[in-house]
Amino acid sequence: MPISYISTRGRAPRLSFEEVLLAGLASDGGLYVPDNLPHFERDQIKAMRGLPYNELAFVILKPFVEGSIPEDDLKVLIDDTYAVFRHEAVAPLVQLGHNQWVLELFHGPTLAFKDFALQLLGRLLDYVLQKRDQKVVIMGATSGDTGSAAIEGCRRCSNIDIYILHPHERVSEVQRRQMTTVVGGNIHNLAIKGNFDDCQSMVKASFVAEPFLPENRSLVAVNSINWARIMAQIVYYFYAALALGGPDRAVNFSVPTGNFGDIFAGYLARGMGLPIDRLVIATNKNDVLHRLLTTGKYSRLQLEQSLSPSMDITVSSNFERLMFDLYDRSGDAVFDLMQQFQSGEIELSASAMSEARALFASQCVSDDETCAEIARVWRDNEYLLDPHSAIGTRAAWDCRVDASSPMVTLATAHPAKFPDAIANSGVSEKAKLPAHLVDLFERPERFCVLDNDLAKVQQHMAATVSV
Ligand SMILES: *Cc1c(COP(=O)(O)O)cnc(C)c1O
């Protein structure tokens, strides 16, 4: 039986992989998860040792797409996806200290880990849309990295128009230019006079609103509520663990966390049979998850700007996917909790909390600590960390319980993306942009500035859809 996908709130239709790829949010407001997780025996995992990244990805992802994409086609899509990464190893491991490692996930075209999922998502969408002879509109909000990765992943898809909303003058210049300098009639950058939450709300509202697009153009989501993104991220947990002695030896991961998509993929890797000891949730001062693990309460606070903008969130959307498991996959329980959460705060049951604490550790790292960590690692290793990754290595250090087992921090962005944070840390070394981006600051930009007004944004979209 191929895997099918069910909603965390239990009231939406069960979907195939192909359908879930195009779905985004479930019709009951929930998120899609596999009805059951593929499981690999220890011997099967051992047999994966030494596989190059693309071949490993094929083995891990095959069961998730069965019934929707023939194996030979999947293989081609995966090979194409990871061939554009600039490092031969795709996701190289770098050692920072005794049993302390960094998994560099920033060798994709836009220099952040989001390329791992969005390069694949773009190709999967293109494949499925061509087969169905269907055209769609992608709408997404970004605080920086998602937008450029999504644009890069979909720029060559002739059946897709892509609209990315970013908060006007609130993303870094490198991040903005990575979006606005990409040429293509199907690429639309909208700078909204508001903050990231405003952009996000407009996207959410557009998914539930009356249709505002020309006929036959449905909306597709590219943020991490899209299941295919989570799925693609499972692979590098296997890749790193296998390189460090897995499955005979368990490893730990520290993950710079915002929406809980990346670390949720690590949780799934463990569920699929990969021995993982600890998963450390590393957050900046927007620490909704760290507060949850310490107090048992999941509560929304005001958004705070930090030096790690890609982790500036008030709630972590993908946490709902974990909640579904913590409540024994009861859609009713999650439905009720999410209803209650409209008030801004819920308290999780004692059994859910004890399970969550057995699975995850957490640490909140301030801006000052982030800068100190960038400076420390530069001093000790002459290695430049971006501020997101520095939060990861700092939390890895604080949460380590067993120095004899490897701790891998996911380095989620290239340091050249965040030169200001590095300068703030007192490190005079400058990270160089890779060769394909050296002229980024000379390229012409294209974007529209729009008011923080949903009707205007939707009118603009309806009037400019090109495909
Ligand atoms: C998106 C992002 C994160 C957060 O990942 P989530 O899946 O939202 O938890 C961390 N670091 C960087 C650089 C990012 O772009």
Side-chain angles (χ1 to χ4, degrees):
M1 273 285 281
I3 288 175
S4 58
Y5 294 86
I6 54 174
S7 165
T8 50
R9 300 194 193 174
R11 291 154 206 219
R14 180 181 281 273
L15 300 183
S16 68
F17 177 77
E18 180 172 325
E19 292 164 332
V20 89
L21 185 67
L22 298 169
L25 217 58
S27 57
D28 57 5
L31 303 181
Y32 275 104
V33 288
D35 62 352
N36 61 65
L37 211 51
H39 188 84
F40 296 110
E41 299 302 330
R42 200 163 269 238
D43 285 347
Q44 292 177 297
I45 299 179
K46 269 193 187 167
M48 299 174 193
R49 279 185 184 158
L51 288 181
Y53 194 91
N54 55 326
E55 290 181 26
L56 180 67
F58 176 68
V59 176
I60 307 270
L61 300 183
K62 197 167 48 170
F64 290 108
V65 309
E66 205 194 317
S68 285
I69 301 183
E71 287 190 9
D72 291 347
D73 293 346
L74 177 69
K75 181 120 197 41
V76 173
L77 293 170
I78 290 177
D79 290 351
D80 283 356
T81 296
Y82 297 105
V84 304
F85 281 56
R86 284 167 299 113
H87 197 292
E88 181 76 31
V90 182
L93 273 167
V94 170
Q95 186 162 19
L96 285 189
H98 176 65
N99 270 330
Q100 294 274 356
W101 301 82
V102 161
L103 183 68
E104 292 186 342
L105 299 177
F106 49 71
H107 295 289
T110 72
L111 316 184
F113 84 93
K114 293 190 169 71
D115 286 325
F116 277 82
L118 283 161
Q119 282 291 322
L120 182 62
L121 180 63
R123 285 168 176 81
L124 286 168
L125 283 172
D126 200 36
Y127 174 89
V128 165
L129 292 172
Q130 280 195 25
K131 193 175 75 178
R132 296 162 70 117
D133 194 19
Q134 186 183 343
K135 296 184 189 305
V136 298
V137 171
I138 283 176
M139 184 178 188
T142 189
S143 56
D145 297 331
T146 304
S148 55
I151 289 171
E152 207 41 68
C154 300
R155 62 192 288 190
R156 291 181 196 85
C157 305
S158 48
N159 291 332
I160 299 177
D161 255 301
I162 177 162
Y163 290 84
I164 297 294
L165 282 62
H166 72 263
H168 187 41
E169 294 177 341
R170 295 198 194 190
V171 298
S172 84
E173 185 167 6
V174 175
Q175 288 180 319
R176 189 189 71 237
R177 286 181 164 272
Q178 281 185 302
M179 297 189 276
T180 58
T181 60
V182 180
V183 183
N186 62 336
I187 298 165
H188 311 267
N189 279 291
L190 309 182
I192 304 296
K193 292 184 190 162
N195 63 22
F196 171 65
D197 271 2
D198 298 325
C199 297
Q200 181 101 312
S201 310
M202 285 203 252
V203 172
K204 281 194 181 146
S206 300
F207 274 86
V208 293
E210 293 293 304
F212 60 94
L213 290 167
E215 233 182 305
N216 303 328
R217 296 287 187 280
S218 55
L219 277 183
V220 169
V222 287
N223 56 5
S224 54
I225 62 172
N226 190 306
W227 161 257
R229 277 190 59 181
I230 306 280
M231 169 188 97
Q233 293 166 4
I234 297 171
V235 178
Y236 47 71
Y237 288 90
F238 275 87
Y239 189 69
L242 285 162
L244 294 173
D248 294 336
R249 179 155 88 138
V251 297
N252 308 277
F253 288 93
S254 173
V255 186
T257 295
N259 257 325
F260 202 71
D262 201 3
I263 196 165
F264 185 70
Y267 162 81
L268 294 176
R270 174 160 50 192
M272 291 166 72
L274 184 70
I276 296 178
D277 261 351
R278 293 203 119 188
L279 285 165
V280 177
I281 301 169
T283 76
N284 66 23
K285 57 191 163 189
N286 295 289
D287 61 347
V288 57
L289 291 170
H290 180 59
R291 281 185 285 113
L292 169 76
L293 282 183
T294 41
T295 66
K297 293 201 179 88
Y298 188 62
S299 65
R300 185 198 295 268
L301 295 181
Q302 280 283 318
L303 189 78
E304 295 203 53
Q305 308 261 11
S306 79
L307 290 178
S308 42
S310 306
M311 291 155 62
D312 288 349
I313 43 87
T314 53
V315 293
S316 298
S317 348
N318 284 292
F319 182 67
E320 182 170 337
R321 288 188 157 117
L322 179 70
M323 226 155 42
F324 186 57
D325 284 356
L326 296 179
Y327 282 84
D328 302 323
R329 310 207 111 202
S330 159
D332 287 342
V334 174
F335 188 89
D336 290 346
L337 281 163
M338 294 314 289
Q339 287 284 319
Q340 284 172 40
F341 186 60
Q342 285 172 5
S343 72
E345 177 172 310
I346 46 176
E347 185 156 5
L348 266 55
S349 70
S351 68
M353 280 316 301
S354 75
E355 200 177 326
R357 289 181 182 122
L359 294 163
F360 298 94
S362 70
Q363 181 71 307
C364 159
V365 179
S366 70
D367 278 353
D368 285 349
E369 289 166 327
T370 305
C371 288
E373 178 70 359
I374 293 173
R376 180 190 73 80
V377 172
W378 174 253
R379 195 177 58 233
D380 292 354
N381 299 73
E382 292 201 7
Y383 185 81
L384 271 184
L385 285 170
D386 97 286
H388 305 79
S389 310
I391 288 175
T393 57
R394 173 64 198 251
W397 189 259
D398 290 347
C399 295
R400 188 154 84 151
V401 283
D402 177 5
S404 70
S405 101
M407 171 63 91
V408 180
T409 297
L410 304 193
T412 49
H414 192 289
K417 265 190 129 157
F418 301 97
D420 296 347
I422 292 174
N424 274 345
S425 311
V427 175
S428 57
E429 181 77 7
K430 295 205 174 18
K432 276 207 336 242
L433 281 168
H436 74 288
L437 290 172
V438 281
D439 62 342
L440 184 66
F441 286 84
E442 280 98 65
R443 295 182 197 167
E445 291 190 78
R446 243 174 22 125
F447 63 99
C448 282
V449 182
L450 294 178
D451 286 338
N452 181 11
D453 176 336
L454 181 62
K456 283 192 185 153
V457 169
Q458 292 184 340
Q459 273 161 21
H460 178 88
M461 288 175 64
T464 54
V465 165
S466 70
V467 299

